[in-house]
Amino acid sequence: MRRRLRVAAYGVCVRDGRVLLAHNAPQLYEPGWTMPGGGLEHGEDPVDAVVRELEEETGYQVAVERLLGTDSFRGRRTLDSGVTDDFQALRILYEVRVTGGTLRDEVGGSTDRAAWHPLAELPSLQRVELVDLALRLYREQPPAGRLAPGGRQAG
């Protein structure tokens, strides 16, 4: 069994009742809208990673306002090669603010579009669960920076 850990940083940018989202490139990931962000490079600080990823995926330069929290999940799958992959994702979520740049789509990356979406329209939007989790952290601000399963704050 192969063990794999992926650490990623994501930015939650809410402005004028809208949230900035990136659309997963369908050939690479689960289809739908997600929070802009992605994996840390070896030796990279998570704050630097979220700033870099936001620019890559949306065209915006951002400033990190605060740490919202973390989320971790683990899953197993059998790869085409027959190897079982024991995968853990550690996701670090930050509130960010646009400081410059121009909205644009990523070309040749893990996402293929970037757009602002009204918060009120999110229930009808095809999105990954990270969007709901990130916005709950943004709204609820749990003291431990973590949401427990079932909607309770984790202590």
Side-chain angles (χ1 to χ4, degrees):
M1 179 179 314
R2 181 178 77 165
R3 292 182 177 179
R4 201 162 51 100
L5 172 66
R6 181 176 189 262
V7 180
Y10 296 90
V12 179
C13 188
V14 176
R15 182 171 73 185
D16 300 326
R18 300 176 304 153
V19 62
L20 180 61
L21 298 177
H23 188 267
N24 281 331
Q27 69 275 18
L28 297 175
Y29 295 103
E30 176 184 352
W33 292 92
T34 188
M35 302 312 298
L40 275 66
E41 296 174 359
H42 181 76
E44 187 177 30
D45 184 89
V47 169
D48 296 334
V50 75
V51 169
R52 174 183 54 78
E53 285 284 345
L54 264 283
E55 196 283 323
E56 288 175 6
E57 294 184 356
T58 71
Y60 285 131
Q61 286 90 48
V62 299
V64 172
E65 296 289 301
R66 66 186 169 110
L67 174 67
L68 294 173
T70 63
D71 177 64
S72 178
F73 72 88
R74 185 175 176 185
R76 289 187 182 183
R77 64 181 178 192
T78 301
L79 305 176
D80 291 340
S81 64
V83 173
T84 300
D85 191 27
D86 181 358
F87 177 78
Q88 180 181 2
L90 173 61
R91 303 182 293 191
I92 306 166
L93 294 111
Y94 294 96
E95 180 181 356
V96 300
R97 173 180 46 85
V98 173
T99 59
T102 303
L103 182 66
R104 60 145 176 80
D105 298 332
E106 182 177 23
V107 176
S110 60
T111 64
D112 59 8
R113 286 182 279 165
W116 291 94
H117 293 275
L119 291 167
E121 295 178 12
L122 287 183
S124 63
L125 190 68
Q126 183 181 12
R127 64 197 185 283
V128 300
E129 57 83 28
L130 178 60
V131 172
D132 297 329
L133 180 136
L135 290 172
R136 281 193 54 217
L137 284 169
Y138 175 81
R139 284 189 310 269
E140 297 175 20
Q141 300 181 33
R146 182 170 157 245
L147 298 169
R152 298 179 316 275
Q153 291 183 357

